[in-house]
Amino acid sequence: MVKVCRDFDFGACEQNEWYIMAEPGEQNQQLESSEETVTNEVSAETPVEGLAETSENLEELEQKRIAINDDAEKHKKLRDDLNKQTREWISKRDDLNGQVRELVEEAGKHRTQRDEFNQKVKESKVVRDELNQKVAQIKKEYDVLKKDQPAQDKNQPSLRQLKKEFSDLETRQQTQVLKKKEEETLVKRLKEINDMIIEAEKVQEQFGDIREKSGELKVARDDAEKYHKIVSEYAEKAQLEHDTMIQLYKQADVLRKQADEAQARFVECKKAADEEHKKLIEQIKSYHETDKDFLAIKNKQKAVKKRKIDAESKKAADDIFTRFKNGDKLSTEDLMVLQKSGYLS
């Protein structure tokens, strides 16, 4: 129940300091405590027959107080329910915003990692491109050597065979006695073989350069391929970090939308709660005004009844005093009545 105090502080109530209305038993105590302040408003000439009319007014005011009190209680309950919902929406909003902050922070870490991988991709591409240029240059040199290589006669004896034949002929020339014609033929053959050896050595030397260039080309290609793989690995890692970051931002957007909805519901409930509180204050003020009228009539009734009792007491004292003057014997009770009325003071 809502309590209305005689010295009710409406400013405090408007700051959400709630008051509880007094129970019927407490209302009687309030009436008695305020009688003295209201008695002076009662006219001494108030007719006794007016009590019936004031009783009717008092009953109407009591019914009005009950109705106002019930309505105030409804507004109070609804306000408290709305305030509870308001706190729940605030809690949900703050929890969602906390999750959003965590997701955004986590996404930021993946963004930083992604940027670092992208930087490594950039740096690795520079090295890879330099190696690719090196491969292209070596390949160009290799192609030139390959192009200048003389065609090899498959019927031509090998360099080893030519050197063996040259050695054998040279030994024969030194160890055998030859006729002049045989000597000339042998010397001619030695010259031919020697020319063939010189040519074969040139060809072999060219083959050696090609083999060396081919090996150099292979190393360069392996290095370029190695850095191509490094570029691909960093690119894949950067893409993974980017995808993770995007997913986290999407989750944060969903939760942020829910947080905005919770904020909207909070504002809605807060506005409704304030409206119910305003209605409650209006009812409390109305109850306060009705209570003042109720107390005024109640005390008027008591004042009229007291006046009636005083008049009856005075009449009884007058009768006893007349009997006293006539010499009648008075009882102890009669003497107390006379003392109360002021005859024996």
Side-chain angles (χ1 to χ4, degrees), residues 124-142:
S124 299
K125 278 184 176 181
V126 171
V127 178
R128 183 199 62 184
D129 292 345
E130 290 175 353
L131 290 172
N132 282 335
Q133 292 177 2
K134 182 178 180 181
V135 168
Q137 180 62 34
I138 295 174
K139 179 66 168 59
K140 185 177 180 181
E141 295 171 359
Y142 174 82

Side-chain angles (χ1 to χ4, degrees), residues 60-76:
E60 289 178 3
L61 288 172
E62 178 64 20
Q63 293 300 320
K64 183 178 180 181
R65 286 203 312 176
I66 293 174
I68 292 173
N69 195 71
D70 291 344
D71 195 36
E73 179 63 26
K74 292 177 183 178
H75 288 301
K76 178 180 180 296

Side-chain angles (χ1 to χ4, degrees), residues 106-126:
E106 185 66 21
K109 293 178 181 178
H110 287 284
R111 176 197 288 271
T112 300
Q113 191 65 57
R114 179 204 64 183
D115 293 344
E116 290 177 358
F117 282 134
N118 279 335
Q119 180 61 30
K120 290 181 178 179
V121 167
K122 184 178 179 181
E123 294 170 356
S124 299
K125 278 184 176 181
V126 171

Side-chain angles (χ1 to χ4, degrees), residues 242-254:
H242 177 76
D243 293 342
T244 303
M245 178 196 71
I246 294 300
Q247 186 62 31
L248 289 171
Y249 277 136
K250 287 181 178 179
Q251 294 177 19
D253 288 340
V254 172

Side-chain angles (χ1 to χ4, degrees), residues 9-183:
D9 182 359
F10 293 103
C13 187
E14 289 175 354
Q15 297 175 10
N16 291 342
E17 294 181 9
W18 314 131
Y19 287 75
I20 308 289
M21 284 187 180
E23 297 292 341
E26 298 171 345
Q27 294 167 2
N28 293 332
Q29 185 179 355
Q30 293 175 7
L31 289 172
E32 293 173 0
S33 65
S34 60
E35 286 176 1
E36 295 180 0
T37 61
V38 184
T39 303
N40 58 3
E41 299 177 3
V42 182
S43 171
E45 289 75 21
T46 302
V48 175
E49 53 271 17
L51 289 175
E53 181 181 351
T54 55
S55 296
E56 292 179 0
N57 292 337
L58 196 64
E59 186 176 351
E60 289 178 3
L61 288 172
E62 178 64 20
Q63 293 300 320
K64 183 178 180 181
R65 286 203 312 176
I66 293 174
I68 292 173
N69 195 71
D70 291 344
D71 195 36
E73 179 63 26
K74 292 177 183 178
H75 288 301
K76 178 180 180 296
K77 184 179 184 305
L78 185 54
R79 178 207 64 192
D80 292 345
D81 290 342
L82 288 167
N83 278 333
K84 181 182 178 183
Q85 293 180 40
T86 297
R87 290 189 294 271
E88 291 172 350
W89 284 117
I90 290 176
S91 177
K92 183 175 182 179
R93 178 203 63 190
D94 293 345
D95 180 62
L96 288 168
N97 281 333
Q99 294 182 52
V100 169
R101 284 191 294 272
E102 290 177 1
L103 288 171
V104 170
E105 183 178 351
E106 185 66 21
K109 293 178 181 178
H110 287 284
R111 176 197 288 271
T112 300
Q113 191 65 57
R114 179 204 64 183
D115 293 344
E116 290 177 358
F117 282 134
N118 279 335
Q119 180 61 30
K120 290 181 178 179
V121 167
K122 184 178 179 181
E123 294 170 356
S124 299
K125 278 184 176 181
V126 171
V127 178
R128 183 199 62 184
D129 292 345
E130 290 175 353
L131 290 172
N132 282 335
Q133 292 177 2
K134 182 178 180 181
V135 168
Q137 180 62 34
I138 295 174
K139 179 66 168 59
K140 185 177 180 181
E141 295 171 359
Y142 174 82
D143 290 341
V144 170
L145 291 174
K146 195 75 173 173
K147 182 179 179 182
D148 293 341
Q149 178 184 353
Q152 186 175 5
D153 188 356
K154 294 181 179 180
N155 297 323
Q156 182 75 19
S158 66
L159 180 59
R160 185 179 63 80
Q161 291 174 334
L162 289 172
K163 286 184 176 182
K164 184 178 183 303
E165 183 179 356
F166 184 87
S167 177
D168 291 343
L169 290 175
E170 194 175 36
T171 300
R172 180 183 174 191
Q173 182 186 24
Q174 293 174 359
T175 59
Q176 294 182 10
V177 178
L178 300 175
K179 295 180 180 180
K180 182 178 179 181
K181 189 173 182 179
E182 291 176 341
E183 179 74 20

